[in-house]
Amino acid sequence: MKRILLLLTAVLMAATASAQEGAYSPDSGLPYWAPGRGEVDHEALRRRALVVLEREFGAFNDATGHLAQTAVAYCDAGAPREDLIAAFRDTWLAWAPLDSYHFGPVEANAAALTVNFWPDKKGFVGRALRELLAQPPEAQRDPATVAAGSAAAQGLPALEMLLYTEAPECPAVIGISAYLHQTAETLYADWFDPDGWADLARAAGPNNPVYLSAAEFTKTLYTALDFGLIRIADQRLGRPLGSYERSYPQRAEAWRSGLTVDIIGAQLDGIADMIEHGFAGDIREPDRAWVLQVIGQARSRMDKIGAPIADAVADPAHRIRVEGLQTKVNDIRSVMAQDIGPNLGVDTGFSPADGD
Amino acid sequence: MKHLLIPFTFAASFGTAAMAADLDAVIDNYADIAQAGYEDSLSRAQVLKTAVDALVAAPGDATLQAAKDAWLAARVPYQQTEAYRFGNPQVDAWEGKVNAWPLDEGLIDYVDPLAGGNDENPFATANVIANPQLALNGGTLDAGKITPDLLRELHELDGVEANVAAGYHAIEFLLWGQDLNGTGPGAGARPASDYDTANCTGGHCDRRADYLRAATDLLVSDLQDAVALWAEGGAARAEVSEDPEQGLVMALVGLGSLSFGEMAGDRMKLGLLLHDPEEEHDCFSDNTHNSHYYDGIGIRNVYTGRYERIDGSVVEGPSLQDVIAERDPALADNLMSDITDTVTALSAIKTTAEGGMAYDQMLDPGNHAGGALIQTAIDGLTAQTRNIERAIALLGPNGSGEGVEFK
């Protein structure tokens, strides 16, 4: 114990020294603030976080644009089906990191539901899709038809059901993809156009309708990452896991396409991305390195499951690895709560996970 | 706000003895209002039980209507107690017994073949009333005699949340039946003869009557448990009183979670986006406008420390609002004004529904005025959540809300 303390002291002293010697870079947030300084540069953090978010929302916008074009090429011009499947996969993985950020434009546009209506506890996607497929072909390919219908037929699970069941893919796949792209464009614009949510966050202050200080935006981001981890542990893993006596393979997200585990990986990567490039130097180096290391451990447990989640939960030999991943994701939450939140001086706020 | 257990806790860190005494008084009043709310819910449930017995003894339009009226009246105090649910683990663990929702009602009784199935739930159309034996994971479940114990066993059968065998919504379904009008006018229209063993409609009228009585008995006994949780020496009262600072935060967490994740999200936004009347809270009786409204009133009760009981008497005392006002008057005012705006928005939904446009009609994608009414309430609930978060940050130990344990 004494040795650890000594080591820690050395690290702290080095940190203090480097903060004094090197010029602080607001872009990287480095060198990190000396511990005990008691201040976080929330404005610098916000600047970096918005770069991360703009990149991720931009990637989703690009992926949906490509998907919409590919759907038309597949249905109308006989383009290979593999192209459509690949574009569908890329779109879902581009959405995965954004699943954590259920606030601002995502909340205002209810995009968490329209893009990815999941979990679907009462078979809404199938029912909504049957209604869409009952429309004339010209209406099915029109995003306006999709917009006017149920949210359950507006996004990725509806596309998956079209692509991985006997349901006729064309032309509904065109209408849903086009609407999904419209949603992605709206999200990007509502975030990053002038007077969008990014500008609202930049204008944090006593008269701001949402963020009374820059620290409140930090709190929102921190809550969002915790929410993303809850989504992975309790829903993406917990729902199919059920109990040892009774697992629920078909409650796994995207079980038909087998994308379940890739989605979890992409969401974890998104969380790591925000910590590394958004929070960056405004959390202390050892804490940041540690949480990223624990996320890496979760990533490697995930890679070792060796079977699709839907199959793994029902098989005792594989199930234990899924449980191990779930434990590790909860470990990330604990590390965040113990090290990252106090570092930033924020605690989690309310999230959609607070309902039931 | 979903916290993991963190292996350290904060000791009470601020305040003089005088201030601590004030906080105790605020918490006492908070718990008194809870106790009064559950007592009122219990007494209305007992009235419902009498009405149900009368219906079963002499099924007819008048006795059915009287039972429905008693159910509607029972919802008024109960919904106001929902403000106690999410912040108090004792209540949250108990709540599913009485207000679980949404349900696959086909577990209980006959349903329209096109409006009852659910791929995720093998028991979505099990129809216990018609089937004394149920196949369950290779074995059989004996439902020969319908008792409160059987309903407990059926509740969340096979780990599926939609298998709601008991509680307000199960009783609601047994009184009203399915509402098959979609987003058009009209609620469920179960005939009284569904309980008439001499001229039985719907089949198995004796078992349906047993089911209704068992579910009502269970509701009464579950509400007795809730009263006990908040009475002097009860576990929920003890938990908030132990550390009054943490108790205040628990109270605020209850308000924020109900406002945002539950009401604005699960109960309102989802139905609006799906345009699906299945997703309205009181979908059989078309009483959703009242359920939402009294949730809003319940939030106001807790914040202002004042509850008007069903007999017109008032429980009141030092409030969360008072504590917040002492430390940040502007925040206290802003939160009060948010809560008032939300109650106004919920009241507009209630008035409109009472004027003839039921909540499920507001979900029609073509009904822009109805959709806007719901959206306004969602926006109000979301806005008040932000100031509730600020209040938690203000009141939490060290003024940071840090280290608070719940869920």
Side-chain angles (χ1 to χ4, degrees):
Chain A
M1 189 64 197
K2 192 176 256 181
R3 182 172 300 185
I4 293 172
L5 278 178
L6 282 175
L7 189 66
L8 195 64
T9 311
V11 170
L12 299 187
M13 286 171 62
T16 314
S18 71
Q20 284 163 348
E21 285 161 17
Y24 173 72
S25 157
D27 286 335
S28 63
L30 290 171
Y32 54 84
W33 295 116
R37 182 178 177 276
E39 258 180 60
V40 173
D41 187 345
H42 291 286
E43 287 169 16
L45 188 155
R46 177 182 63 206
R47 188 163 51 241
R48 295 187 306 263
L50 288 173
V51 172
V52 172
L53 290 171
E54 182 159 9
R55 172 159 45 74
E56 291 179 351
F57 278 96
F60 179 58
N61 193 9
D62 293 347
T64 54
H66 178 65
L67 173 69
Q69 285 172 3
T70 312
V72 173
Y74 171 68
C75 291
D76 293 356
R81 193 166 184 283
E82 302 89 270
D83 292 359
L84 181 58
I85 294 291
F88 166 73
R89 180 180 187 278
D90 292 346
T91 302
W92 205 322
L93 298 187
W95 171 256
L98 301 180
D99 179 75
S100 302
Y101 304 111
H102 282 221
F103 63 89
V106 171
E107 183 182 281
N109 291 289
L113 292 165
T114 60
V115 172
N116 183 12
F117 189 83
W118 184 85
D120 180 9
K121 297 181 185 177
K122 295 199 72 180
F124 285 111
V125 174
R127 270 207 306 287
L129 206 48
R130 273 196 291 279
E131 261 181 49
L132 179 63
L133 296 176
Q135 305 260 357
E138 278 312 304
Q140 286 182 41
R141 61 185 293 146
D142 182 354
T145 311
V146 177
S150 163
Q154 291 174 343
L156 298 162
L159 282 174
E160 187 195 34
M161 204 176 269
L162 283 178
L163 296 176
Y164 290 89
T165 67
E166 297 303 307
E169 296 164 340
C170 295
V173 69
I174 295 177
I176 298 175
S177 300
Y179 182 70
L180 192 55
H181 182 45
Q182 285 180 7
T183 305
E185 284 180 322
T186 303
L187 289 177
Y188 186 85
D190 286 359
W191 256 106
F192 299 104
D193 275 6
D195 293 329
W197 200 266
D199 278 354
L200 180 85
R202 288 182 192 108
N207 296 319
N208 190 289
V210 176
Y211 301 116
L212 298 185
S213 65
E216 287 197 352
F217 187 64
T218 303
K219 179 186 174 99
T220 300
L221 293 172
Y222 175 70
T223 301
L225 299 194
D226 185 58
F227 171 72
L229 293 167
I230 293 174
R231 285 273 278 178
I232 295 174
D234 291 3
Q235 299 204 307
R236 303 208 142 86
L237 296 170
R239 276 181 60 78
L241 270 170
S243 62
Y244 185 79
E245 294 75 29
R246 180 74 163 96
S247 59
Y248 301 90
Q250 295 190 357
R251 287 186 187 173
E253 181 181 30
W255 63 270
R256 287 187 172 87
S257 58
L259 288 175
T260 317
V261 85
D262 293 338
I263 293 167
I264 293 170
Q267 188 166 19
L268 282 174
D269 290 349
I271 289 166
D273 194 7
M274 183 56 80
I275 292 170
E276 189 173 1
H277 300 111
F279 294 173
D282 279 297
I283 42 183
R284 295 182 306 138
E285 174 65 28
D287 292 337
R288 191 172 76 242
W290 175 236
V291 73
L292 291 173
Q293 190 177 332
V294 179
I295 294 175
Q297 291 166 355
R299 217 48 186 88
S300 75
R301 284 196 184 185
M302 195 191 94
D303 295 337
K304 284 179 191 145
I305 291 174
I309 297 281
D311 300 337
V313 293
D315 168 49
H318 287 105
R319 180 183 167 84
I320 194 164
R321 299 182 193 172
V322 182
E323 290 169 341
L325 171 59
Q326 188 187 37
T327 304
K328 188 54 81 175
V329 173
N330 279 322
D331 288 349
I332 304 171
R333 287 193 70 207
S334 298
V335 172
M336 295 273 288
Q338 284 187 57
D339 298 341
I340 307 302
N343 236 269
L344 295 172
V346 297
D347 192 11
T348 53
F350 291 100
S351 79
D354 299 319
D356 65 352
Chain B
M1 281 291 154
K2 274 201 169 180
H3 285 241
L4 288 171
L5 286 175
I6 302 170
F8 54 86
T9 48
F10 288 84
S13 59
F14 66 79
T16 60
M19 188 183 266
D22 289 345
L23 293 186
D24 285 339
V26 171
I27 291 296
D28 285 347
N29 185 49
Y30 172 76
D32 290 346
I33 291 176
Q35 185 180 344
Y38 289 109
E39 282 169 359
D40 286 352
S41 304
L42 173 60
S43 87
R44 289 268 165 99
Q46 284 161 336
V47 173
L48 171 65
K49 178 175 156 48
T50 308
V52 159
D53 288 343
L55 165 65
V56 170
D61 290 347
T63 48
L64 177 58
Q65 189 57 49
K68 287 178 176 177
D69 290 345
W71 186 89
L72 292 169
R75 294 291 283 169
V76 172
Y78 180 74
Q79 287 301 102
Q80 293 178 70
T81 68
E82 287 216 289
Y84 287 85
R85 176 177 163 195
F86 293 102
N88 296 286
Q90 299 279 346
V91 180
D92 203 26
W94 163 90
E95 181 274 349
K97 297 177 186 179
V98 298
N99 200 37
W101 172 89
L103 50 161
D104 284 335
E105 61 270 19
L107 168 73
I108 300 172
D109 198 2
Y110 70 85
V111 288
D112 183 288
L114 294 177
N118 175 1
D119 295 343
E120 262 209 18
N121 181 6
F123 298 94
T125 55
N127 192 351
V128 171
I129 285 173
N131 295 292
Q133 304 281 325
L134 297 182
L136 175 64
N137 295 338
T140 35
L141 192 152
D142 180 12
K145 195 160 159 37
I146 298 178
T147 60
D149 283 345
L150 175 72
L151 302 198
R152 261 199 225 291
E153 202 176 333
L154 291 171
H155 207 57
E156 297 199 1
L157 184 65
D158 203 27
V160 178
E161 290 165 34
N163 285 328
V164 175
Y168 286 105
H169 296 295
I171 297 169
E172 181 194 6
F173 170 57
L174 288 164
L175 293 176
W176 271 269
Q178 280 187 303
D179 178 354
L180 297 171
N181 305 299
T183 53
R190 185 186 289 281
S193 50
D194 274 12
Y195 292 96
D196 187 344
T197 47
N199 300 289
C200 179
T201 52
H204 318 281
C205 286
D206 51 338
R207 287 176 60 80
R208 188 170 297 107
D210 289 346
Y211 200 119
L212 176 59
R213 277 201 297 212
T216 312
D217 287 348
L218 198 51
L219 179 67
V220 168
S221 76
D222 285 334
L223 286 167
Q224 282 165 341
D225 293 345
V227 171
L229 286 177
W230 290 99
E232 229 28 80
R237 185 182 282 266
E239 218 161 61
V240 288
S241 307
E242 192 180 345
D243 173 356
E245 271 180 69
Q246 174 153 324
L248 290 178
V249 174
M250 288 165 74
L252 285 163
V253 165
L255 303 189
S257 299
L258 178 62
S259 298
F260 187 60
E262 185 66 15
M263 287 187 74
D266 287 350
R267 290 195 195 166
M268 300 178 82
K269 191 83 184 176
L270 200 56
L272 201 54
L273 287 169
L274 293 168
H275 308 303
D276 193 327
E278 272 275 297
E279 279 297 308
E280 66 159 330
H281 193 60
D282 297 2
C283 70
F284 309 113
S285 60
D286 278 359
N287 185 49
T288 304
H289 56 285
N290 279 317
S291 279
H292 291 348
Y293 175 75
Y294 286 108
D295 273 336
I297 296 294
I299 290 169
R300 194 178 67 186
N301 295 344
V302 166
Y303 184 61
T304 59
R306 182 180 194 281
Y307 168 57
E308 189 178 330
R309 300 194 64 162
I310 53 175
D311 66 1
S313 65
V314 172
V315 180
E316 63 184 324
S319 65
L320 292 176
Q321 187 184 13
D322 297 337
V323 180
I324 295 165
E326 244 172 47
R327 300 178 202 177
D328 185 343
L331 175 59
D333 288 350
N334 290 341
L335 181 49
M336 188 67 248
S337 128
D338 287 349
I339 290 173
T340 306
D341 288 350
T342 300
V343 169
T344 305
L346 293 168
S347 176
I349 293 174
K350 179 172 154 73
T351 311
T352 306
E354 285 164 354
M357 185 205 288
Y359 192 88
D360 53 11
Q361 293 170 266
M362 297 175 197
L363 300 176
D364 181 334
N367 185 350
H368 298 296
L373 281 172
I374 297 175
Q375 187 61 49
T376 304
I378 292 172
D379 293 344
L381 289 160
T382 306
Q384 77 192 24
T385 304
R386 283 195 278 272
N387 277 324
I388 294 169
E389 278 186 354
R390 289 176 186 129
I392 291 172
L394 179 75
L395 295 187
N398 304 322
S400 74
E402 204 61 54
V404 176
E405 305 305 339
F406 47 86
K407 282 243 141 180

